[in-house]
Amino acid sequence: MSRADIDKVEAAIVNSPYLAIMLDRAAASGRLAGIGVSDKPNQAGSYDHRSRSILLSPSTLNDPAYTPLQQGDLLTATLGHESSHAIRSVVALQALDRFAQTVQLRLQESTGNESHIDLTSAAKEYLNEVRYNEALAEQTGLNALASRIRVENDLSFDPNEFAKRAVMVSSCATRETAERAVLASGIRLNAAGYQDAKDPTAVEAIARCYHDAADSLGRHGESGYRNYNGVDVIRVIAERWHAEDAYARATANPPPMSA
């Protein structure tokens, strides 16, 4: 990361106390060791649990199409979003591991006895956890942006300004006119501009406008989180099936087909 990019990251943290607290929590938990540049230009940012790093795309740091204010807002919201993923990374990995173990157990139980197994319930449980995790992360990113706006305005908060600036960073805000933007249905802000992560209805509102949106991912915006994370489900099933298949061939008990 260049010195200029480091300065931008530092400024984003200094100007959003909420973001600073979240990053400090992630670092204190041992789940955040650094911030770097990603080689994935289509993602604003990502969290890599192996290196324990938040990775920012080049466009999140430097995009000539953005004003300095917009660039700062995007960087702040992205760092907030990924800080939540860092904090919850162990929970996310545990959810994936539980699903993998369930797949393996069902395959072992059914070997030689059934022509197929039903993994619908287990897959749904895992995908619901992914949905919740993404909603919390997006909520954190928006809270980081609200904190930045408060600092800029001597700790006063204008919900209309927040909504207009949130359009740039989140699918949970929509511009109606040049002077007016609205937050998605169900999103509630307190007097300081923050959303409550402990309120299930607040998290659900974010999940609907962020995770469930069909046009939130991909180079052309045609893919959604449901498709993206569904690949994980297929991958885990395939990996466990092939592992059981190799074992079954050695013991002459073919594994069932999964469904």
Side-chain angles (χ1 to χ4, degrees):
M1 185 177 288
S2 69
R3 181 67 252 179
D5 289 343
I6 292 173
D7 289 344
K8 291 177 184 178
V9 170
E10 290 179 345
I13 296 171
V14 168
N15 291 321
S16 176
Y18 185 96
L19 173 60
I21 290 171
M22 294 300 293
L23 290 172
D24 184 64
R25 283 180 56 191
S29 70
R31 295 165 195 168
L32 180 61
I35 299 172
V37 180
S38 170
D39 59 357
K40 299 177 181 179
N42 296 322
Q43 295 180 354
S46 61
Y47 173 73
D48 179 36
H49 69 87
R50 294 178 181 83
S51 64
R52 295 177 293 129
S53 299
I54 291 175
L55 302 177
L56 303 166
S57 76
S59 62
T60 300
L61 291 161
N62 299 283
D63 191 327
Y66 299 150
T67 66
L69 180 66
Q70 290 174 328
Q71 195 82 67
D73 286 352
L74 177 60
L75 178 56
T76 299
T78 301
L79 286 170
H81 184 109
E82 301 307 332
S83 71
S84 176
H85 282 317
I87 291 169
R88 288 182 54 81
S89 59
V90 171
V91 175
L93 289 172
Q94 288 173 342
L96 183 58
D97 188 56
R98 283 196 304 272
F99 175 65
Q101 290 179 15
T102 298
V103 171
Q104 185 168 0
L105 179 61
R106 292 299 310 279
L107 285 168
Q108 291 172 346
E109 290 175 343
S110 302
T111 297
N113 299 318
E114 298 181 24
S115 61
H116 72 279
I117 59 174
D118 186 355
L119 295 170
T120 303
S121 178
K124 184 176 180 180
E125 179 181 350
Y126 168 66
L127 291 175
N128 280 340
E129 174 59 31
V130 170
R131 181 177 185 265
Y132 179 72
N133 196 40
E134 288 297 338
L136 283 180
E138 187 68 358
Q139 189 182 70
T140 301
L142 289 171
N143 282 349
L145 176 61
S147 179
R148 170 180 165 88
I149 292 173
R150 278 171 50 80
V151 167
E152 292 173 354
N153 293 281
D154 298 323
L155 300 186
S156 65
F157 181 76
D158 181 352
N160 294 319
E161 180 185 2
F162 173 74
K164 285 192 290 185
R165 290 170 64 172
V167 170
M168 235 289 293
V169 305
S170 177
S171 58
C172 290
T174 305
R175 185 174 295 280
E176 291 190 329
T177 68
E179 298 301 323
R180 174 175 166 76
V182 295
L183 300 176
S185 175
I187 294 179
R188 295 190 296 272
L189 309 177
N190 64 19
Y194 301 136
Q195 300 168 64
D196 185 0
K198 296 181 180 180
D199 179 357
T201 60
V203 178
E204 174 62 21
I206 291 291
R208 288 197 302 266
C209 62
Y210 179 69
H211 177 278
D212 298 347
D215 58 350
S216 56
L217 295 174
R219 181 182 294 273
H220 303 292
E222 76 285 5
S223 180
Y225 273 105
R226 287 171 294 181
N227 297 332
Y228 180 78
N229 291 296
V231 173
D232 269 346
V233 171
I234 296 171
R235 176 183 59 80
V236 168
I237 293 173
E239 287 176 351
R240 296 303 165 122
W241 188 91
H242 283 299
E244 289 303 313
D245 183 49
Y247 175 78
R249 288 180 186 277
T251 59
N253 289 314
M257 295 298 292
S258 58

